[in-house]
Amino acid sequence: MSGSTERPLRADAARNRARLLDVATEVFTTRGIGVPTEEIARVAGVGVGTLFRHFPTKEALLEAVMVCRLEAIAARTARLAAEAEPAEAFFACFRLVIDQSAGKGEFTRALATAGVDAHAALQEPGTAIQTQLAALLAGAQQAGAVRPELGLPELIALLAGTSRAMEHLATDPAARERIFEVVFDGLRPR
């Protein structure tokens, strides 16, 4: 017998949990975190009791959504690295991280207000993404597509800053694309 005391979820319970996470991700990202949990349950097609069995508080749901989003970014980044040329993979990953960062600041603030340390909860998937970013950066630099002096800390800062800038342009796709063009131009060697 293993050291874990948690039993695996039944298939229907696992489907409900996955559906709740998908719906919560979509609703919180598009409508904000102020949407009541009852609305999340309704849209997911389950009772509110089912939601609270999986996520006892709204903060637990927000945390699970953030972890799920980071795990999805890590999985998609791994696929990009395996399937695309280094330069293409790097720039596609940069775009992916920015696109998936919508609402992250709001989630983090809400969790902090509730006393939840979001950084601790996100450490494992965050570390995995940083490792992947470092490999993508090195590959793109070796391919001559990214400035050789750029390090991982600067890349992470650029991702954070670009993500914040994009929040101001959420309703203007053309402006968002111009921001990507400017940042990508700055990342390329002179």
Side-chain angles (χ1 to χ4, degrees):
M1 184 160 152
S2 74
S4 174
T5 59
E6 283 188 38
R7 292 188 333 221
L9 292 176
R10 294 184 333 252
D12 60 331
R15 278 191 304 275
N16 285 341
R17 185 178 194 286
R19 175 81 179 131
L20 284 164
L21 279 172
D22 288 345
V23 167
T25 298
E26 176 66 24
V27 170
F28 288 150
T29 301
T30 60
R31 294 173 43 196
I33 62 168
V35 176
T37 50
E38 293 79 5
E39 175 70 4
I40 302 293
R42 186 191 65 73
V43 174
V46 301
V48 74
T50 297
L51 184 146
F52 285 122
R53 269 193 298 284
H54 292 287
F55 309 102
T57 64
K58 187 171 188 176
E59 291 76 21
L61 179 58
L62 286 169
E63 183 179 329
V65 165
M66 287 184 70
V67 168
C68 186
R69 286 173 72 177
L70 283 180
E71 288 172 345
I73 290 171
R76 289 177 67 190
T77 298
R79 272 197 312 277
L80 283 168
E83 297 171 358
E85 295 299 318
E88 179 186 339
F90 174 82
F91 289 109
C93 180
F94 192 103
R95 187 179 290 272
L96 168 69
V97 170
I98 299 304
D99 289 344
Q100 293 299 308
S101 293
K104 181 182 174 199
E106 187 181 11
F107 284 27
T108 304
R109 286 187 296 278
L111 290 172
T113 299
V116 177
D117 182 359
H119 295 290
L122 303 175
Q123 186 172 4
E124 187 175 328
T127 299
I129 291 171
Q130 284 189 20
T131 300
Q132 292 170 327
L133 286 171
L136 287 170
L137 175 61
Q141 287 171 324
Q142 288 172 356
V146 173
R147 299 168 74 125
E149 71 274 16
L150 184 73
L152 183 61
E154 293 91 358
L155 174 60
I156 291 170
L158 280 169
L159 285 164
T162 305
S163 176
R164 185 82 172 128
M166 293 297 194
E167 288 177 15
H168 297 284
L169 302 170
T171 60
D172 190 346
R176 288 175 58 88
E177 195 56 39
R178 284 190 300 276
I179 294 293
F180 277 125
E181 288 173 13
V182 167
V183 172
F184 290 174
D185 189 50
L187 287 167
R188 291 186 179 95
R190 295 184 186 276

